[in-house]
């Protein structure tokens, strides 16, 4: 009888041990930077154009260093930062630093940092109804992004185009309430940045971020009635959680993104619509 109890006890111990191993394996496979057979997976969130397209170019280089790049595409400007903060991603690549700073100011729980600048996407003014901004009629409707940073950026662009004047000193924090001169009595429709291109059929003009313009086959250097020049301060960045800036995988990612191969790809693919910032 004692021998039987000993055998039962041994089997029970073995089952517990096996269960413990299985639980540990499941937990590790759920992390953003999982390791499998010595290959590290780096999960990065990006909007499809041009960010995901640029990231695709560096996959072979990172694979040589034992890093598998997993690109997760997003169509908005909110979820990539929340997912990164929640450790569902290792990094994201879709925004400029003014947007990130505004986002972290509004979401105190989010602790993200700029790991490095990659390129500039000049914002442009587009229309399907006119060929020149001089053709805008009195009371014309203009669609602009509704998030604080890109909204202010679009108003600064409209000011630079000579269509309005803003209150002195407001900068990129400008809102429609800061318009002090509006000679054409323009009417502003504030829409989520990703949705602005869809308004083109219904408004006289729209101020669109380049990545969203390119998704509907608009070529900024050809189709924009007016666009930012190369002096734009809105450099698109790789964002990471605070403290992750010096992770070897992140440094390898930045090195690959700032390579001559990527610079040439940007020049050849986007024909000046997107400009390398390195």
């Amino acid at each position: 009888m004692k021998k039987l109890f000993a055998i039962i006890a041994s089997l029970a111990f073995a089952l517990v041990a096996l269960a413990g191993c299985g639980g540990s394996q499941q937990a590790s496979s759920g992390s953003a930077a999982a390791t499998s057979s010595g290959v590290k997976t780096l999960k990065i969130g990006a909007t499809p154009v041009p960010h995901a397209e640029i990231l695709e170019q560096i996959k072979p280089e990172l694979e040589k260093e034992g890093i598998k790049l997993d690109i997760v595409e997003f169509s908005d400007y909110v979820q990539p930062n929340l997912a990164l903060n929640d450790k569902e991603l290792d990094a994201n690549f879709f925004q400029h630093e003014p947007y990130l700073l505004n986002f972290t100011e509004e979401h105190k729980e989010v602790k993200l940092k700029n790991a490095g600048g990659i390129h500039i996407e000049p914002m442009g003014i587009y229309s399907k109804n006119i060929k020149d901004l001089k053709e805008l009629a009195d009371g014309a409707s203009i669609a602009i992004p509704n998030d604080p940073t890109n909204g202010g950026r679009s108003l600064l662009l409209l000011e630079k185009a000579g269509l309005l004047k803003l209150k002195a000193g407001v900068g990129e924090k400008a809102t429609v309430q800061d318009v002090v001169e509006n000679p054409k009595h323009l009417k502003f429709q504030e829409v989520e940045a990703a949705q602005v291109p869809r308004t083109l059929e219904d408004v006289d003009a729209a101020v669109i971020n380049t990545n969203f313009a390119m998704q509907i086959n608009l070529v900024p250097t050809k189709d924009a009635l007016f666009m930012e020049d190369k002096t734009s301060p809105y450099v698109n960045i790789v964002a990471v959680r605070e403290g992750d800036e010096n992770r070897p995988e992140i440094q390898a990612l930045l090195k690959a993104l700032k390579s001559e191969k990527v610079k040439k790809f940007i020049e050849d693919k986007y024909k000046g619509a997107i400009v390398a910032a390195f």
Side-chain angles (χ1 to χ4, degrees):
M1 183 66 72
K2 288 182 179 180
K3 188 174 182 180
L4 178 61
F5 281 134
I7 294 172
I8 293 172
S10 297
L11 287 171
F13 178 79
L15 286 171
V16 170
L18 284 171
C21 291
S24 175
Q25 185 177 6
Q26 185 176 5
S28 65
S29 65
S31 63
T35 302
S36 177
S37 303
V39 177
K40 293 184 178 180
T41 297
L42 192 68
K43 187 176 289 188
I44 180 165
T47 44
V49 180
H51 305 86
E53 292 180 341
I54 293 172
L55 288 168
E56 287 288 346
Q57 302 306 305
I58 65 171
K59 277 187 172 182
E61 282 69 25
L62 291 178
E63 284 180 5
K64 291 175 185 176
E65 299 188 39
I67 300 171
K68 178 184 177 183
L69 191 61
D70 182 5
I71 304 167
V72 183
E73 294 191 1
F74 291 85
S75 60
D76 72 291
Y77 283 174
V78 176
Q79 294 307 313
N81 279 337
L82 297 179
L84 175 57
N85 190 67
D86 292 342
K87 299 185 179 181
E88 296 171 14
L89 302 169
D90 295 297
N92 68 40
F93 178 36
F94 75 97
Q95 65 194 320
H96 46 65
E97 188 169 46
Y99 180 85
L100 175 63
L101 292 174
N102 184 78
F103 190 94
T104 54
E105 187 177 322
E106 290 187 347
H107 300 78
K108 302 296 184 184
E109 76 283 4
V110 174
K111 306 296 182 184
L112 306 180
K113 290 195 69 175
N114 172 5
I118 307 302
H119 69 270
I120 298 168
E121 299 177 11
M123 183 176 264
I125 305 173
Y126 300 84
S127 177
K128 286 196 172 182
N129 300 310
I130 60 172
K131 300 295 183 183
D132 192 295
L133 291 179
K134 294 177 182 177
E135 299 174 24
L136 281 174
D138 188 77
S141 55
I142 310 289
I144 65 173
N146 66 358
D147 64 271
T149 304
N150 286 301
R153 181 183 179 185
S154 66
L155 290 170
L156 286 172
L157 184 61
L158 290 167
E159 181 180 51
K160 193 168 185 177
L163 295 173
L164 53 81
K165 188 172 182 180
L166 296 167
K167 188 187 300 181
V170 292
E172 72 274 0
K173 293 186 180 295
T175 68
V176 293
Q177 284 72 41
D178 295 313
V179 177
V180 293
E181 291 183 23
N182 185 4
K184 286 184 176 287
H185 306 100
L186 301 175
K187 298 176 181 177
F188 303 102
Q189 293 188 21
E190 298 177 88
V191 183
E192 184 183 350
Q195 303 303 319
V196 175
R198 297 184 181 184
T199 68
L200 277 174
E201 298 287 350
D202 306 311
V203 297
D204 297 293
V207 186
I208 307 176
N209 294 77
T210 291
N211 57 318
F212 294 129
M214 295 178 72
Q215 285 181 30
I216 60 169
N217 299 316
L218 288 173
V219 180
T221 49
K222 180 168 68 77
D223 299 317
L225 302 181
F226 191 85
M227 64 185 293
E228 291 172 330
D229 56 29
K230 295 181 180 181
T231 63
S232 170
Y234 297 93
V235 178
N236 278 227
I237 64 171
V238 171
V240 297
R241 288 184 296 279
E242 286 186 0
D244 280 0
E245 304 95 308
N246 295 319
R247 274 178 56 193
E249 299 87 3
I250 298 299
Q251 288 300 308
L253 173 71
L254 290 170
K255 182 180 178 182
L257 282 172
K258 293 183 178 184
S259 66
E260 287 301 315
K261 174 185 175 180
V262 169
K263 181 178 286 188
K264 187 175 188 309
F265 172 78
I266 289 173
E267 291 172 354
D268 294 345
K269 173 77 174 178
Y270 305 115
K271 311 294 184 185
I274 293 171
V275 183
F278 54 88

